[in-house]
Amino acid sequence: MNNSVSNTGRLLWAGLRALLVLTLVTGVIYPLAVTGIAQALFHDKANGSEIKADGKVVGSSLIGQQDYSLDYFQPRPANGLGENSVNTQYKLILSGATNRSADNPELVTWVKKAKAKVVKDNSTADYTVKPSQVPADAVTSSGSGLDPDISPAYADLQVHRVAEKNGLTVAQVQKLVDEHTEGRTLGFIGEPRVNVLELNIALKALAAKS
């Protein structure tokens, strides 16, 4: 009987020691090590890839923003997203796509209306946008609905309107777009892209100097 109690006690103590050691290793040492390495080697990414303007954080290079005025470059649409039904106080945006098929009548209607709006908004007194010029990302949301980038084609399409709205030359704005166009990651991953927030920050700075 005494041996049985003694063995049980040893097993309990061994289990407790294992729990304490694993808690220390996986709950304290490992997270601190990973955090330390991330901060040392990938400081920007570890902190959310923040974008700053005038010394303040204004967003992340990984998350798109909506509701820019027509003075600025426009992001991809965010159709199909709604408010968070649980916490409506802050009207949180849901990340996701419409999940509608390409031939869905409602989606087709959205795309046609979006295309007409892109043509209308970006045509100026001396430049008319043709429907054939409108790229797919100008009229469709991404899979997450939070894509921070647009294609160089969509950025180029907006140049004349942005130049007119800000009293800049087309050449000035086009140069800005070219400077903010990134190629494929490692030369073969993804597509060329333009980060809308970074481009608009540079645009605001350029307009302020003119």
Side-chain angles (χ1 to χ4, degrees):
M1 181 69 176
N2 289 336
N3 287 338
S4 177
V5 172
S6 179
N7 288 335
T8 300
R10 283 196 295 269
L11 288 173
L12 287 174
W13 176 236
L16 179 59
R17 281 184 298 175
L19 174 63
L20 292 174
V21 170
L22 288 173
T23 298
L24 179 63
V25 172
T26 63
V28 179
I29 297 176
Y30 178 73
L32 286 177
V34 171
T35 300
I37 292 172
Q39 289 294 330
L41 302 180
F42 311 101
H43 179 74
D44 178 61
K45 292 181 174 61
N47 289 294
S49 299
E50 297 173 338
I51 295 179
K52 294 183 179 180
D54 300 323
K56 298 178 181 179
V57 176
V58 295
S60 168
S61 64
L62 303 177
I63 301 176
Q65 299 183 16
Q66 298 290 320
D67 300 322
Y68 289 107
S69 73
L70 288 177
D71 291 353
Y72 294 94
F73 285 90
Q74 301 298 300
R76 295 187 68 169
N79 290 340
L81 304 183
E83 297 175 1
N84 188 307
S85 59
V86 177
N87 183 353
T88 58
Q89 181 178 358
Y90 299 105
K91 297 183 178 179
L92 301 177
I93 295 180
L94 302 178
S95 174
T98 64
N99 289 326
R100 289 172 169 79
S101 63
D103 60 352
N104 180 278
E106 188 174 20
L107 180 61
V108 172
T109 299
W110 285 352
V111 169
K112 287 181 178 179
K113 287 183 178 179
K115 193 170 188 177
K117 188 175 188 303
V118 168
V119 169
K120 179 182 178 182
D121 287 346
N122 291 283
S123 293
T124 65
D126 57 358
Y127 180 78
T128 301
V129 174
K130 299 176 181 178
S132 59
Q133 292 177 270
V134 180
D137 63 305
V139 295
T140 57
S141 60
S142 63
S144 68
L146 303 176
D147 194 340
D149 305 317
I150 56 176
S151 65
Y154 188 26
D156 291 344
L157 183 146
Q158 301 183 61
V159 165
H160 286 77
R161 184 252 303 158
V162 170
E164 183 179 77
K165 291 280 187 179
N166 289 277
L168 300 169
T169 67
V170 170
Q172 283 178 303
V173 179
Q174 185 62 61
K175 183 173 183 291
L176 210 59
V177 170
D178 294 341
E179 290 173 347
H180 286 80
T181 297
E182 299 180 44
R184 292 180 172 86
T185 303
L186 300 179
F188 66 94
I189 301 175
E191 295 293 332
R193 59 200 180 276
V194 181
N195 186 281
V196 179
L197 178 55
E198 292 177 348
L199 178 59
N200 281 334
I201 290 173
L203 170 64
K204 183 177 180 180
L206 179 62
K209 293 179 183 177
S210 301

